[in-house]
Amino acid sequence: MTTESGDTERLRRWRLALGEAAEDSTGSLSSADDNAMDAALAALYDTAPGDGTAPRTAGLGASAPRVARWLGDIRTYFPTSVVQVMQRDAVDRLGLTRLLLEPEMLEAVEPDVHLVGTLLSLNRVMPETTKATARTVVEKVVREIEERIAQHTRTAVTGALDRSSRTSNPKLRDIDWDRTIRANLAHYLPEHRTVVPEKLVGYGRRSQAVKRDVVLAVDQSGSMASSVVYASVFAAVLASMRALRTSLVVFDTAVVDLTDKLTDPVDVLFGTQLGGGTDINRAIAYSRSLITRPADSLFVLISDLYEGGIRAEMLSRIREMLAAGVQVVVLLALSDDGAPSFDRDNAAALAELGVPAFACTPDRFPELLAVALERGDIGRWSQTG
């Protein structure tokens, strides 16, 4: 690209980013496609944030056909990642949530995790004519997430469970020869060109018995929408593994046990109700009742820790779980949304109990599960990467 063409492209991009007000400095747009892109951007970003009733120069208004055309335009002129951002901004800035209750709108949008969260928050007010379309949208996103994380999760968890059952006195057929050789390299005899295996490494006999109990408690307040989506998919994947007994509870001021829906994460998500208050203490109390083998149990609390219940009891129940031998993990978020807002006082109180609270991305969650199931140092792990 020549210097002149590079300057022209930079001015074009600035013109699209800043809008018509910058035209005196950047020059006008020359192509029909650029003008169409500019119109789509102006309809969204040249409108005052809020309910869309106070436009400065443009806007989508409340017209469903106009919104449908706009959705089509942005999908034509922008890549999928940009389309998803613009859709979220349209919902936030222009108050278009109610239009998502119309089937034709849902058919036009680009599905993503944030859209799923919005639909789930509308679940109780969604008309029957829209529910089938909404379910299709949710299912598409869920299957994409499942495809992305399922194999990694199963591999990480299976490896952790196998390592936890390793024995130093295996039967011949259970010897892990690769690890045995590595463990005995110091006993290599050059004259015999062999290793003397003073220490055998192997695995305990595999069985169909459940090796670990996993209980996930997920805060379904509105700010946790993405975390609810990811946690539901992970719970369904874990529930498919016979070596684990997986339970899933979601909570606001009430607690709902969705374990019986784990065969289909879409059913799980439509069993949630995003929004409302938060009673973490009650959720922990219910989760504790599901744990019958503390020493073989992992409890994962996913919450921003803004407690509407009894804080002292919440911390006391965590303390009791730890004393009983339960491995406890607290995640402030399970999403790709960046640094979350959370209650720092409660996070600090948990840290004093030896339970660090931190956010985790979906891609790293399988590794976290593996560390937790092996009873590794969660705090140290959270500081890496």
Side-chain angles (χ1 to χ4, degrees), residues 54-247:
R56 291 198 295 269
T57 61
L60 297 176
S63 165
R66 187 174 183 183
V67 174
R69 287 195 297 274
W70 179 80
L71 288 168
D73 286 345
I74 65 173
R75 293 177 74 171
T76 298
Y77 296 109
F78 299 96
T80 297
S81 59
V82 175
V83 169
Q84 292 172 347
V85 172
M86 293 179 73
Q87 287 176 172
R88 293 200 297 273
D89 287 348
V91 172
D92 294 340
R93 292 172 58 87
L94 305 181
L96 299 182
T97 301
R98 66 183 183 84
L99 292 179
L100 294 177
L101 300 177
E102 302 181 19
E104 60 269 25
M105 289 297 99
L106 289 181
E107 292 172 356
V109 296
E110 187 69 41
D112 70 346
V113 169
H114 300 88
L115 177 62
V116 169
T118 301
L119 291 177
L120 295 176
S121 70
L122 299 172
N123 188 21
R124 297 294 186 267
V125 298
M126 192 176 291
E128 291 300 324
T129 53
T130 306
K131 284 188 175 179
T133 307
R135 188 178 179 89
T136 299
V137 171
V138 172
E139 184 166 13
K140 179 179 179 181
V141 174
V142 165
R143 300 311 172 205
E144 289 174 352
I145 295 174
E146 200 168 22
E147 182 177 348
R148 168 182 157 191
I149 60 96
Q151 187 55 49
H152 185 194
T153 301
R154 292 191 181 100
T155 300
V157 170
T158 299
L161 294 175
D162 284 348
R163 286 190 293 272
S164 68
S165 64
R166 189 175 301 147
T167 175
S168 60
N169 187 30
K171 295 182 179 180
L172 180 63
R173 61 178 173 272
D174 296 323
I175 294 175
D176 182 334
W177 289 109
D178 180 66
R179 291 183 180 275
T180 295
I181 292 171
R182 291 174 184 272
N184 290 277
L185 287 176
H187 308 301
Y188 177 69
L189 300 179
E191 63 273 22
H192 297 289
R193 302 179 64 186
T194 190
V195 169
V196 178
E198 293 188 0
K199 177 184 177 182
L200 298 177
V201 180
Y203 299 104
R205 297 298 306 278
R206 294 181 181 273
S207 70
Q208 300 303 314
V210 174
K211 296 180 180 179
R212 293 286 190 277
D213 295 342
V214 179
V215 179
L216 293 94
V218 186
D219 184 342
Q220 60 177 353
S221 57
S223 61
M224 301 295 294
S226 295
S227 297
V228 171
V229 176
Y230 283 114
S232 298
V233 179
F234 274 112
V237 172
L238 295 176
S240 70
M241 302 181 66
R242 288 181 294 180
L244 298 177
R245 179 184 293 110
T246 303
S247 302

Side-chain angles (χ1 to χ4, degrees), residues 45-62:
Y45 297 111
D46 288 350
T47 300
D51 61 4
T53 60
R56 291 198 295 269
T57 61
L60 297 176

Side-chain angles (χ1 to χ4, degrees), residues 248-280:
L248 174 67
V249 299
V250 296
F251 64 92
D252 40 39
T253 53
V255 179
V256 180
D257 192 329
L258 297 177
T259 304
D260 62 345
K261 297 182 182 295
L262 285 178
T263 53
D264 187 348
V266 177
D267 286 341
V268 171
L269 288 170
F270 277 96
T272 64
Q273 177 56 61
L274 293 176
T278 308
D279 191 337
I280 304 172

